[in-house]
Amino acid sequence: MKLQIALDRLTYDECFRTLAQVDESVDIIEIGTGVIKEYGLGIVRDIKEKYPRKSVLADVKICDAGKSESETAFDYGADIITVMSFADMNTIKACVDAAEARQKEVVVDLLNYKDPEVFDQLESIGVRSVSAHIGKDQQSGNEGHDPFFQRLTDRDFKVYVAGGINETNLDRYLDLAPAVVIVGSGITKVEDKKEKAGLIKKSLGKYN
């Protein structure tokens, strides 16, 4: 079970200061959508150059133009990109094809999309990774994943989980048998980021 740190609602310098404290504990570095909007894909390139041995995820949330959007993100150094599950299946397939051509990874973000047929559709076009994602505005103090995501337990997807996760509520997400646990403010907004990242990584180790 890998730990992914989500860098969002941070300045350029804050991203690098945070990574300097937590890089020993995290497996995947996510550059969040808001950070990319603020600083462009150049920050993806800069972080990959600084941490070449880490997997870097660009949370570009592709909705259209799958091939060109994917290739651009990969050109800037992303190892993993995201596409939205509500996008046209042709768009998602184009992202999958672009990733396979470069031996990269695509994660389909299931944020706020509950079509019961979506998993069959994603499997049919070769999707391997999905994100069981509870958005920032959806959390509203609730903890635990959406019951809809329970359908993933009967599938063979590589599952990422995200949505207000920290060391106190982590166990509420583990019934999805995630391969990757994403933590944002649970690390980035605390004073001792190194200690917190280490604590969460140690907790994940108990379930590997």
Side-chain angles (χ1 to χ4, degrees):
M1 198 178 303
K2 293 183 176 181
L3 174 59
Q4 175 173 314
I5 186 170
L7 302 174
D8 221 338
R9 294 174 292 281
L10 301 172
T11 67
Y12 184 98
D13 290 340
E14 285 172 338
C15 287
F16 282 91
R17 286 198 297 269
T18 297
L19 290 175
Q21 296 179 63
V22 306
D23 69 290
E24 293 181 359
S25 296
V26 303
D27 304 292
I28 303 172
I29 299 170
E30 172 190 332
I31 298 92
T33 312
V35 171
I36 292 174
K37 285 183 176 180
E38 180 73 19
Y39 301 105
L41 284 167
I43 192 171
V44 176
R45 176 196 59 221
D46 295 347
I47 287 176
K48 184 62 180 179
E49 288 178 354
K50 178 71 173 178
Y51 298 96
R53 296 185 179 181
K54 298 289 186 183
S55 293
V56 173
L57 182 149
D59 191 16
V60 284
K61 288 187 172 69
I62 294 170
C63 300
D64 192 20
K67 182 176 187 293
S68 61
E69 292 285 312
S70 298
E71 290 178 342
T72 298
F74 291 139
D75 285 344
Y76 273 89
D79 301 293
I80 312 166
I81 60 168
T82 57
V83 60
M84 302 308 296
S85 57
F86 57 73
D88 189 271
M89 286 295 149
N90 289 325
T91 299
I92 299 174
K93 181 65 164 59
C95 294
V96 170
D97 291 345
E100 289 182 347
R102 301 187 184 212
Q103 296 184 310
K104 304 291 187 179
E105 183 178 355
V106 172
V107 179
V108 177
D109 190 333
L110 298 169
L111 177 68
N112 202 36
Y113 190 66
K114 300 181 181 180
D115 183 343
E117 298 181 359
V118 68
F119 299 132
D120 286 335
Q121 294 170 340
L122 294 176
E123 285 180 337
S124 73
I125 59 172
V127 170
R128 297 185 178 89
S129 302
V130 298
S131 176
H133 181 195
I134 302 296
K136 183 70 175 178
D137 294 338
Q138 292 176 313
Q139 293 166 26
S140 302
N142 295 323
E143 295 181 336
H145 62 75
D146 189 315
F148 176 74
F149 296 145
Q150 203 64 40
R151 298 167 186 251
L152 289 169
T153 59
D154 296 325
R155 304 285 179 159
D156 292 326
F157 294 115
K158 176 181 178 181
V159 176
Y160 291 61
V161 291
I165 300 175
N166 55 50
E167 78 282 3
T168 65
N169 62 21
L170 175 62
D171 59 332
R172 303 187 185 192
Y173 296 79
L174 296 179
D175 58 336
L176 295 180
V180 180
V181 172
I182 304 171
V183 182
S185 59
I187 294 174
T188 63
K189 299 303 182 183
V190 303
E191 184 173 349
D192 194 335
K193 299 171 178 57
K194 180 176 182 177
E195 179 185 30
K196 188 66 69 174
L199 176 63
I200 295 173
K201 180 65 174 177
K202 184 177 180 180
S203 297
L204 294 181
K206 299 176 183 178
Y207 304 99
N208 287 335

